[in-house]
Amino acid sequence: MPQYQRREVQDWLNLFEQQKQSGLTAVAFCRQQQINVQTYYTRRRDIRLQRTSNKFVQVKREVTKVESYTEAMGGELLLQLGNAQLSVPININPHWVATVMKALSE
């Protein structure tokens, strides 16, 4: 029964680099190195997944200052963001406003 060599991640990384530098296909390289081709591909996939899934990407969220006020005379709510304005009656259904805001955020 053949004895299999247990390799660490760095050993596999070195083998992947050697295969790339050799110009051989993965199959030819594995035959030359007496490595099981299926094991080679499996370890390559697993190590790639492990390396990419451990990376966190920091996302910066832009905070927007929102101010609102009601005009005493008109009884309207004025929503303003940059140059955009939305004027709605003070007794507007809050669910409608939430639906509009959700649609705008998509």
Side-chain angles (χ1 to χ4, degrees), residues 23-103:
L24 297 172
T25 65
V27 173
F29 180 79
C30 288
R31 277 193 202 126
Q32 183 185 67
Q33 299 295 318
Q34 297 179 341
I35 298 170
N36 180 292
V37 176
Q38 188 61 43
T39 302
Y40 179 89
Y41 283 125
T42 300
R43 292 300 293 149
R44 188 171 72 177
R45 182 198 68 218
D46 291 347
I47 290 170
R48 282 181 181 166
L49 285 173
Q50 184 182 42
R51 294 179 125 207
T52 57
S53 67
N54 288 339
K55 293 183 179 180
F56 289 95
V57 177
Q58 184 176 5
V59 178
K60 284 193 169 188
R61 182 174 175 193
E62 186 178 315
V63 179
T64 305
K65 184 178 178 184
V66 177
E67 295 180 28
S68 64
Y69 62 91
T70 58
E71 294 179 10
M73 294 175 62
E76 292 185 341
L77 177 65
L78 178 64
L79 303 172
Q80 197 171 7
L81 178 60
N83 293 333
Q85 290 185 355
L86 175 63
S87 179
V88 293
I90 195 70
N91 60 350
I92 189 79
N93 183 329
H95 295 290
W96 180 86
V97 175
T99 302
V100 170
M101 292 178 71
K102 183 178 178 187

Side-chain angles (χ1 to χ4, degrees), residues 16-30:
F16 302 148
E17 185 59 31
Q18 287 174 21
Q19 182 268 321
K20 185 178 175 182
Q21 296 294 325
S22 73
L24 297 172
T25 65
V27 173
F29 180 79
C30 288

